[in-house]
Amino acid sequence: MVKFVRQLQFQLFLLPILAIYSLFTIYPLIKSFFLSFTNFDGYTEAYDFIGLKNYVRIFSDDAITSAISYTLFFTFGKALLVTLLAIPLAMILDQKFLTRNIHRAIFFFPSIPSGLLLAYIWGFILAPIGSGVLNTVLRELFNIGPQPWLSAPLLAKLSTIVVATWAITGWHAVLYLAFLQSIPKDYYEAASIDGANRLQQIRFITFPLLAPAMTVSVMLLLTGGLKVFEIPFALTKGGPGYETYSITQVIVLRGISETQYGLASAMSIVFFLIVLAIAIFQVTVMQRREQGIQ
């Protein structure tokens, strides 16, 4: 009984957090689920129950289907690139050299400013006209004509991924760096004594022991990528056509700009289920990988 009372005392401190979480997360989710079956326009209190019509419309709307396709392409492309770059970068920053702290700060800095601000700067650099910074450099150094970095469908998609990768790689490198510094140096010394070269040490010691960091990093990359809005919007406004529309941009467009809150609510529910499914699958697979390594 005494133990129960003590636990209850501690749990009472969680009630304010639970109340805030319920108010700003659980209630909006339930409300969105309800509105997804209606034709609510966001302004009038009168609306009708229309069943699954909003969910059927999702997959017949070109902007929505294009947004789902692009968001998945962006998410997995960014996750792959950041992972491939962040781990080697963390290993370099883990070495002892005179300016390593300065270099760590330099690589971490792009993750500090707003993604919207960075995207506007990159929009000036990647402007698909002759006076764009990158096109000017290519013309002056290599005599290459203007490239449609943000106006051609494939180049626009790749450009958004590159900008997002540039902005967040340093942050994830610092995450990997923290895990690298927790690996006992004795492991490397023992492997060196046994005749293992540097590549073998990285393969059999570093990579396996970075598995927990990779699980966290990839989860953050996937969930963050699926929720992307500001970088594609600032760079391309979703163009050309619907090629770089993100799911969140279409939800805002349909819900606020076009006052189709019922449809936007249905899209948000589908979006929530996509994020949930991918997150559960990723965490499950990578945790099994960790257990297999152990």
Side-chain angles (χ1 to χ4, degrees), residues 59-76:
F59 299 100
S60 61
D61 188 315
D62 291 340
I64 298 173
T65 53
S66 179
I68 293 174
S69 174
Y70 165 72
T71 302
L72 292 176
F73 177 73
F74 174 90
T75 299
F76 289 104

Side-chain angles (χ1 to χ4, degrees), residues 134-147 149:
L134 183 55
N135 280 335
T136 299
V137 172
L138 292 176
R139 183 183 68 249
E140 295 296 331
L141 296 182
F142 306 104
N143 198 28
I144 297 176
Q147 300 298 310
W149 302 109

Side-chain angles (χ1 to χ4, degrees), residues 111-133:
S111 64
I112 297 176
S114 163
L116 191 64
L117 174 62
L118 293 177
Y120 279 127
I121 295 173
W122 273 97
F124 176 69
I125 296 173
L126 297 174
I129 55 179
S131 59
V133 174

Side-chain angles (χ1 to χ4, degrees), residues 173-241:
V174 171
L175 173 65
Y176 284 112
L177 178 62
F179 278 80
L180 276 174
Q181 293 178 339
S182 67
I183 300 176
K185 303 301 181 184
D186 296 345
Y187 292 174
Y188 296 102
E189 294 175 1
S192 180
I193 292 173
D194 289 339
N197 57 36
R198 181 58 178 165
L199 290 178
Q200 290 173 326
Q201 292 176 23
I202 293 173
R203 178 183 176 185
F204 295 106
I205 298 176
T206 305
F207 282 166
L209 293 180
L210 280 180
M214 189 175 294
T215 300
V216 175
S217 175
V218 173
M219 182 188 69
L220 293 174
L221 287 168
L222 291 180
T223 54
L226 290 168
K227 296 184 294 182
V228 67
F229 174 79
E230 66 274 12
I231 289 179
F233 180 77
L235 285 174
T236 64
K237 298 294 189 295

Side-chain angles (χ1 to χ4, degrees), residues 26-36 40 47 265:
I26 302 301
Y27 173 73
L29 182 61
I30 296 174
K31 187 70 173 180
S32 295
F33 181 72
F34 171 74
L35 292 176
S36 69
F40 181 55
Y47 50 84
S265 296

